[in-house]
Amino acid sequence: MGGDRTVHGIENLSEEGRRRREKTVNQRPGVLDRREETAASQFTSDRHIVESSSWCSGSDPFTMKVLVTGGSGLVGHAIQRVVKDERGAKEGEEWIYLSSKDANLMNWEETKAIFEKHRPTHVIHLAALVGGLFKNMKYNLDFWRKNVYINDNVLRAAQEVGAVKVVSCLSTCIFPDKTTYPIDETMIHNGPPHDSNFGYSYAKRMIDVQNRAHSQEHEGLFTAVIPTNVFGPHDNFSIEDGHVLPGLIHKTYTAKKKGEPLIIWGSGNPRRQFIYSLDLARLFLWVLCEYSEVDPIILSVGEEEEVSIKEAAEEVARAMDFKGEVLHDTTKADGQFKKTASNAKLLRHLPDFKFTPFKQALKETCDWFVDNYDVARK
């Protein structure tokens, strides 16, 4: 992973890092500093309201610098939009959105340099090598190696500059293939993941391991969220390498334009829970502000919202007014049949959170893709 790995602990932090550490000396592993417990914001929309206290506490303002890795991707764009349009600017707060142009996070020296440049107090870690089923099946080693490098470099750099909180993004594909349903946060390490994407899955699991190890040796809270299948504007709509829903949207657009049948890869029987990127962004901000456990939390719609790939394709066709024939290429692999996740833990924290209805979110995503076809990732 490059670079000297012998620097550990408070003795080797910068003066600024030491000062941040000293502010959290009474913090137990997995429990936030007092200001972090009260640091939050108010998010409002026509669909839901999450109310909480301000980012600052009394006469002791808390300067907050949030660094978002993968800031130009699907979820990064959604966070930018929610921060700008729903939260608004907060005094003493700065948001930095990194892209691959800013630093190669697989390289330790570049990662260290970008963190030392910005010295974030908080990190949202989204950066990853990602891809759909068929890309994962073909390049498991790349997905393992590159994601392990990225994750270790980011978490190590955050620790060395004294970040008080890091929220990383996992995936439901990390859960065991052979399991009982619904899956929950306690089941991550109960068995091997599905063979189709084991490289990516194990690399993501290691973030949870690293977070737990960090909590034993260092101050600050390193935790993670586990979203189900994310979709929305600014997704990767590649037919070959993208995830299922953006791939279906691009296929439907092309089939309609050419007057050809829409061909779905696989039987269409596997089932998935889909979460709109803007809903995930709102929940990410809540986790950043208020969630105080090292243990990860699943961010997902309910089990009853799970749909088959066939049903999802039908909704895409309806949203894009596709009237042609729909066919299935059953020579293509289905991948994991289901990954039904429980959002019970989330609902215990946020019982009144309202997710954007799937049909509405899908229509907004399809419209965005059509309107931005020339610049969309594909």
Side-chain angles (χ1 to χ4, degrees), residues 64-80:
M64 183 169 182
K65 182 181 284 190
V66 186
L67 187 147
V68 183
T69 71
S72 62
L74 166 65
V75 182
H77 270 288
I79 290 174
Q80 289 187 53

Side-chain angles (χ1 to χ4, degrees), residues 47-116:
R47 290 189 285 271
H48 70 280
I49 297 176
V50 180
E51 294 183 345
S52 51
S53 57
S54 69
W55 291 97
C56 301
S57 177
S59 60
D60 182 21
F62 183 62
T63 300
M64 183 169 182
K65 182 181 284 190
V66 186
L67 187 147
V68 183
T69 71
S72 62
L74 166 65
V75 182
H77 270 288
I79 290 174
Q80 289 187 53
R81 179 172 164 183
V82 170
V83 168
K84 179 181 178 182
D85 296 344
E86 298 183 16
R87 283 190 55 260
K90 304 292 181 182
E91 184 179 358
E93 177 183 315
E94 180 182 357
W95 289 75
I96 302 146
Y97 300 92
L98 296 184
S99 74
S100 57
K101 296 178 181 178
D102 298 300
N104 174 10
L105 298 180
M106 288 184 287
N107 179 281
W108 165 242
E109 295 301 331
E110 290 192 35
T111 307
K112 179 182 179 181
I114 201 72
F115 271 74
E116 288 182 344

Side-chain angles (χ1 to χ4, degrees), residues 285-321:
L285 296 187
W286 169 78
V287 171
L288 185 72
C289 302
E290 296 193 29
Y291 185 68
S292 59
E293 299 178 29
V294 174
D295 293 338
I297 183 170
I298 291 172
L299 304 181
S300 175
V301 299
E303 301 160 46
E304 69 282 358
E305 299 297 323
E306 189 175 54
V307 297
S308 70
I309 302 304
K310 180 181 179 181
E311 292 167 334
E314 291 171 350
E315 290 301 330
V316 170
R318 189 173 294 111
M320 301 189 76
D321 196 30

Side-chain angles (χ1 to χ4, degrees), residues 34-257:
R34 174 184 60 81
R35 284 163 304 168
E36 188 66 8
E37 290 178 314
T38 59
S41 64
Q42 183 174 21
F43 323 119
T44 61
S45 74
D46 58 349
R47 290 189 285 271
H48 70 280
I49 297 176
V50 180
E51 294 183 345
S52 51
S53 57
S54 69
W55 291 97
C56 301
S57 177
S59 60
D60 182 21
F62 183 62
T63 300
M64 183 169 182
K65 182 181 284 190
V66 186
L67 187 147
V68 183
T69 71
S72 62
L74 166 65
V75 182
H77 270 288
I79 290 174
Q80 289 187 53
R81 179 172 164 183
V82 170
V83 168
K84 179 181 178 182
D85 296 344
E86 298 183 16
R87 283 190 55 260
K90 304 292 181 182
E91 184 179 358
E93 177 183 315
E94 180 182 357
W95 289 75
I96 302 146
Y97 300 92
L98 296 184
S99 74
S100 57
K101 296 178 181 178
D102 298 300
N104 174 10
L105 298 180
M106 288 184 287
N107 179 281
W108 165 242
E109 295 301 331
E110 290 192 35
T111 307
K112 179 182 179 181
I114 201 72
F115 271 74
E116 288 182 344
K117 174 183 177 181
H118 294 294
R119 298 197 173 278
T121 60
H122 295 63
V123 177
I124 294 178
H125 176 36
L126 306 174
L129 174 66
V130 298
L133 170 63
F134 298 98
K135 186 174 182 180
N136 271 274
M137 290 172 65
K138 190 175 181 180
Y139 299 111
N140 266 297
L141 181 57
D142 276 355
F143 277 96
W144 156 258
R145 178 178 289 134
K146 293 179 180 179
N147 282 302
V148 165
Y149 285 0
I150 291 169
N151 297 334
D152 187 46
N153 287 339
V154 167
L155 295 184
R156 179 189 172 192
Q159 178 254 311
E160 290 196 2
V161 299
V164 298
K165 188 163 186 184
V166 178
V167 181
S168 298
C169 190
L170 309 185
S171 166
T172 50
C173 72
I174 69 176
F175 285 98
D177 179 34
K178 308 299 182 184
T179 188
T180 56
Y181 294 100
I183 51 182
D184 65 38
E185 293 85 353
T186 68
M187 302 163 69
I188 294 173
H189 304 286
N190 285 0
H194 194 267
D195 285 345
S196 63
N197 57 3
F198 69 88
Y200 178 82
S201 300
Y202 276 122
K204 284 292 188 178
R205 279 190 190 185
M206 291 304 101
I207 291 179
D208 180 55
V209 174
Q210 195 158 348
N211 287 345
R212 294 173 188 277
H214 180 276
S215 74
Q216 292 181 352
E217 299 182 24
H218 301 285
E219 302 296 342
L221 175 61
F222 284 28
T223 187
V225 302
I226 310 173
T228 46
N229 292 59
V230 191
F231 72 99
H234 301 280
D235 208 338
N236 178 4
F237 293 86
S238 169
I239 293 174
E240 296 290 334
D241 297 335
H243 289 107
V244 59
L245 208 52
L248 284 171
I249 291 171
H250 191 179
K251 282 185 178 181
T252 304
Y253 175 91
T254 302
K256 179 180 178 181
K257 187 174 182 179

